[in-house]
Amino acid sequence: MHSILPWLTLTLLMVIVMLSMVLQRTRRDCVRHKQAEAWQELAALAFETAEAMFVTDRRGIIQRVNPAFTRLTGYTAAEAIGQNPSLLQSGRHDAAFYAALWRDLFVEGRWAGEIWNRRKNGEIYPEWASITAVRDDTGEIIHFVASFFDLSKQKAAEEALHRLAHYDPLTQLPNRRLFFEHLNTAQAAARRGAYHGAVLFVDLDDFRRISDARGHETGDRLIQEVAVRLTRFLRSEDIVAHLGGDRFAVLLIKLADSEESAIRFARGVAEKIRLALSMPIQQQDNTYVLGASIGITLFSGQEKTADEPLKQAETALHQAQSAGRNAVRFFEAAMQTEVETRMALEGEMRRAIERNELRLYLQPQVDREGYIIGAEVLLRWQHPERGLVPPDHFIPLAEETGLIIAMGEWVLLEICRLLARLTAAGQPLRLAVNVSPRQFRQPHFAIRVRAALAATRADPAWLTLEVTEGLAIEDLKGTIAILSELKALGLHLSIDDFGTGYSSLAYLSRMPIDELKIDKSFLRGVPDDSRSAALVEAILAVARHLRLSVVAEGVETIEQAAFLKACECGYSQGYLYGRPEPVETFLQSTLPAKRLPIGSS
Ligand code: C2E
Ligand code: CA
Ligand code: CA
């Protein structure tokens, strides 16, 4: 790495010094005298290099220095000559270091390496030094020639590079890479010492929302404040790292010998972190209160892979987050199994569409007289080993992973085909399809629906899309825009599970919808529980006021049916009228009945 230039200069200088010595001895020789002078001039010239140099006698007393020496060390020639080079010693190296240096010089004739020296002004600096012993004809050492150059700049650059590779520029905390280095060392130490350490994975709740609303600069400043708080109260040997975004990792190096104590300590630290972060942060004119979810795992150096503790802590973090956030969770092996099952399910779900394992079921919807006016389309997964998987077991995961978009598209296309087929057979039927929030929010959803209708030539008048009321709360304006686009296609829109999403009447009145579906949880207590009954009546009144039709879901008993009829509820759906059935079964046996017998008194 260090250039060979110092060596060349040094070698040249030595040759010159030796030659001049030889030549001096033959000074009497007149012919050569002039040549000797020339050599000496050359030696003096070589001594003028940019590198600092000095020459000592055999005892190590400085005899000559060059101007670069003065520039580097601050000592003039007058100050240095006659002194021992220990004048430059920084005190950073021990006696053994100097002993090794002298041994090399006597045995090998040279020494080179990094050395910390002290300038006249007291400043300590690193330098690269090369020292060579100069011998006479008999082999006796008569001089030492040292040349050296300042390494401060290189050192600073190296350090800057190291910082860049190992520290996060925003918080100045160790980054993921350095965290892993520390973790590996800590694992090895824990194994040797037979004690436990812990990894805490900290994730700020709702940080993205604040950062989106207030801008990245505010977000950055909050992260910096969190970094300061996290470091402030931890022991100096513990490591806090910024993993990126709003995620931090804490490494508690030596907690305790016993697992119980280690768990207790780690939990204590986690609670302290939560407390520290929950103190309001003042940023300009605003006050922010941050919550944090924390996943913890212990390590003892027995782990299979080096990154296992961080992964386990992350798994525990996910558990903390799904437990409602602002919580602390310890990693347990059972969590791992759950994660693995989920991952396996996700992989299988990806293949479900290709392998044609998805099935469509239809459940009848009836009017006040019990006549079938349509059906809701309900998805099932015919799994090769698990059997018929209900949607509650896979739709949430499909929603999370985004697979719901492909699934929803498949359902829509199948149903449009079915609609076209029924219309062609002169038996059109109103079909209601569930649309998940993620599917609804995908770019150009309305255009995709139009494409499905066009491709199958299905009549949109027979199609209803069921969306959840939560969409309105998240982003009313955006939701209204998409609903209007859909409405313009000529289809119907229904709000599913109505009453569970806390949407206000004001929201509801602004949405271009046709229908409300009363959630089955409201029907459960009807008619005996007066509160439930009152709620259903209220929803029906709202719907009447807004001129929306209503489908009551989960109708299981004749009493419920009678109550709904008395309240003039338009449509009903529930086990009383029929369970969801495969499309072909529905078309062959349920639909021909037309008027379902029970509940139509
Ligand atoms: P949902 O839209 O509220 O569907 C109604 C659920 O209530 C269905 O469950 C249905 O079988 C059940 N149900 C109907 N009548 C009764 C009754 O009288 N009593 C009781 N206790 N339950 C009744 P299912 O089929 O298991 O579907 C569950 C949820 O899965 C659906 O709730 C819907 O949110 C979702 N889902 C189903 N198919 C799809 C789909 O194609 N796409 C999307 N995005 N979600 C779907
Ligand atoms: Ca539904
Ligand atoms: Ca529902």
Side-chain angles (χ1 to χ4, degrees):
M1 189 185 140
H2 303 291
S3 83
I4 56 164
L5 211 73
W7 280 115
L8 285 180
T9 327
L10 193 62
T11 315
L12 178 65
L13 187 75
M14 275 169 41
V15 169
I16 292 166
V17 168
M18 283 194 289
L19 275 172
S20 68
M21 282 169 1
V22 171
L23 291 174
Q24 269 173 5
R25 233 175 268 154
T26 55
R27 195 172 271 177
R28 268 158 283 138
D29 186 336
C30 235
V31 186
R32 292 185 172 174
H33 182 64
K34 283 225 161 5
Q35 224 168 351
E37 276 182 348
W39 278 116
Q40 274 197 334
E41 268 172 34
L42 199 59
L45 214 63
F47 215 56
E48 295 298 312
T49 66
E51 243 164 79
M53 287 186 148
F54 64 81
V55 179
T56 74
D57 64 10
R58 59 152 65 84
R59 291 163 306 147
I61 300 300
I62 298 174
Q63 294 180 308
R64 265 187 94 167
V65 302
N66 70 352
F69 173 94
T70 303
R71 281 197 297 276
L72 180 65
T73 64
Y75 291 106
T76 61
E79 288 166 327
I81 291 170
Q83 298 274 359
N84 190 289
S86 62
L87 171 75
L88 303 172
Q89 275 183 16
S90 64
R92 277 224 185 165
H93 304 286
D94 56 8
F97 174 86
Y98 291 106
L101 182 152
W102 284 112
R103 193 187 53 232
D104 280 4
L105 276 179
F106 281 108
V107 178
E108 317 264 342
R110 56 166 59 176
W111 180 91
E114 250 179 65
I115 188 166
W116 288 87
N117 271 348
R118 185 192 301 272
R119 294 190 225 275
K120 190 181 167 190
N121 65 11
E123 188 189 333
I124 291 177
Y125 65 99
E127 62 180 30
W128 181 262
S130 318
I131 311 175
T132 305
V134 181
R135 296 170 198 269
D136 65 9
D137 315 355
T138 63
E140 280 286 311
I141 291 178
I142 48 169
H143 293 289
F144 293 101
V145 180
S147 80
F148 43 97
F149 62 89
D150 197 340
L151 280 180
S152 314
K153 284 209 179 77
Q154 284 94 324
K155 279 264 178 225
E158 262 175 47
E159 237 176 75
L161 276 175
H162 183 269
R163 275 207 84 74
L164 219 59
H166 292 87
Y167 290 84
D168 162 56
L170 178 65
T171 58
Q172 300 301 323
L173 289 178
N175 62 13
R176 183 181 283 265
R177 180 163 157 194
L178 186 54
F179 183 80
F180 274 126
E181 283 178 21
H182 285 302
L183 176 58
N184 287 351
T185 316
Q187 281 173 291
R191 185 168 12 163
R192 279 195 307 274
Y195 56 76
H196 293 274
V199 171
L200 280 69
F201 207 126
V202 183
D203 189 311
L204 305 179
D205 298 334
D206 290 334
F207 175 75
R208 195 167 306 147
R209 200 174 43 76
I210 298 178
S211 165
D212 284 349
R214 300 279 167 193
H216 285 299
E217 261 176 51
T218 303
D220 283 355
R221 264 183 260 120
L222 289 179
I223 291 293
Q224 284 169 332
E225 175 61 24
V226 168
V228 169
R229 289 188 183 187
L230 283 178
T231 23
R232 196 180 293 148
F233 67 88
L234 285 171
R235 300 178 302 179
S236 58
E237 66 263 38
D238 298 331
I239 308 285
V240 181
H242 184 209
L243 303 180
D246 58 344
R247 313 191 114 194
F248 294 85
V250 178
L251 176 63
L252 304 176
I253 289 180
K254 190 175 174 181
L255 273 184
D257 294 346
S258 84
E259 199 174 281
E260 289 76 31
S261 319
I263 288 178
R264 207 173 51 248
F265 287 139
R267 185 179 292 282
V269 172
E271 289 305 334
K272 259 171 48 181
I273 289 178
R274 268 182 352 112
L275 196 71
L277 297 188
S278 68
M279 306 291 185
I281 300 178
Q282 194 68 38
Q283 279 291 327
Q284 281 149 350
D285 293 339
N286 293 301
T287 306
Y288 301 93
V289 179
L290 296 172
S293 301
I294 303 176
I296 313 176
T297 195
L298 298 185
F299 63 85
S300 57
Q302 312 294 334
E303 297 72 34
K304 276 186 242 100
T305 58
D307 58 352
E308 199 175 294
L310 194 66
K311 278 192 181 153
Q312 291 183 345
E314 192 174 1
T315 302
L317 169 74
H318 290 318
Q319 294 279 325
Q321 287 175 325
S322 51
R325 300 178 172 255
N326 204 15
V328 176
R329 281 285 178 285
F330 266 90
F331 173 80
E332 289 160 23
M335 290 180 185
Q336 198 57 40
T337 332
E338 194 181 302
V339 168
E340 278 158 18
T341 322
R342 267 172 63 101
M343 276 172 57
L345 194 65
E346 190 185 327
E348 291 169 6
M349 217 160 57
R350 281 182 198 285
R351 293 184 291 266
I353 304 177
E354 296 159 30
R355 296 187 184 169
N356 205 16
E357 292 170 357
L358 297 181
R359 302 280 178 272
L360 291 179
Y361 278 52
L362 294 180
Q363 185 181 29
Q365 294 180 334
V366 301
D367 67 8
R368 267 178 253 179
E369 307 305 326
Y371 285 107
I372 298 177
I373 50 93
E376 176 174 6
V377 181
L378 295 161
L379 189 59
R380 302 283 181 269
W381 177 11
Q382 186 65 58
H383 191 280
E385 289 109 41
R386 296 173 214 255
L388 200 63
V389 186
D392 292 344
H393 288 199
F394 67 91
I395 296 238
L397 186 57
E399 169 85 9
E400 224 172 275
T401 55
L403 277 170
I404 192 69
I405 293 180
M407 283 187 174
E409 194 122 303
W410 179 85
V411 173
L412 193 67
L413 208 61
E414 287 294 308
I415 285 309
C416 286
R417 276 201 195 107
L418 178 64
L419 266 179
R421 193 182 112 198
L422 292 172
T423 314
Q427 272 191 317
L429 184 72
R430 199 191 95 132
L431 291 179
V433 174
N434 289 289
V435 174
S436 91
R438 180 121 180 219
Q439 188 189 358
F440 183 84
R441 292 228 184 278
Q442 73 174 304
H444 316 301
F445 175 57
I447 293 175
R448 283 160 186 274
V449 175
R450 191 176 66 196
L453 287 165
T456 54
R457 303 209 184 160
D459 180 355
W462 295 96
L463 183 66
T464 299
L465 296 184
E466 294 188 5
V467 297
T468 56
E469 80 181 303
L471 287 174
I473 299 160
E474 274 169 36
D475 168 21
L476 182 64
K477 251 171 113 181
T479 301
I480 290 177
I482 301 171
L483 289 175
S484 308
E485 279 181 74
L486 291 168
K487 195 85 201 57
L489 297 177
L491 43 74
H492 296 273
L493 295 169
S494 176
I495 301 291
D496 203 355
D497 304 339
F498 184 73
T500 58
Y502 312 105
S503 68
S504 72
L505 258 178
Y507 280 19
L508 203 60
S509 62
R510 290 177 55 190
M511 296 202 289
I513 50 168
D514 306 281
E515 181 186 274
L516 297 183
K517 292 190 82 176
I518 303 182
D519 189 60
K520 51 183 173 289
S521 59
F522 294 108
L523 260 287
R524 210 166 291 140
V526 166
D528 301 336
D529 175 32
S530 57
R531 258 180 65 89
S532 301
L535 269 168
V536 172
E537 281 175 317
I539 294 174
L540 284 165
V542 166
R544 215 167 291 132
H545 181 69
L546 297 175
R547 297 181 210 292
L548 302 174
S549 63
V550 175
V551 179
E553 257 187 338
V555 183
E556 295 184 355
T557 66
I558 299 176
E559 290 75 21
Q560 287 170 337
F563 174 81
L564 290 167
K565 195 168 181 181
C567 300
E568 298 183 357
C569 174
Y571 306 105
S572 295
Q573 176 184 347
Y575 293 167
L576 179 69
Y577 303 103
R579 292 190 175 245
E581 282 175 313
V583 170
E584 295 309 323
T585 316
F586 179 88
L587 294 178
Q588 279 157 29
S589 39
T590 313
L591 193 56
K594 271 202 177 131
R595 185 167 193 261
L596 294 171
I598 330 167
S600 50
S601 56

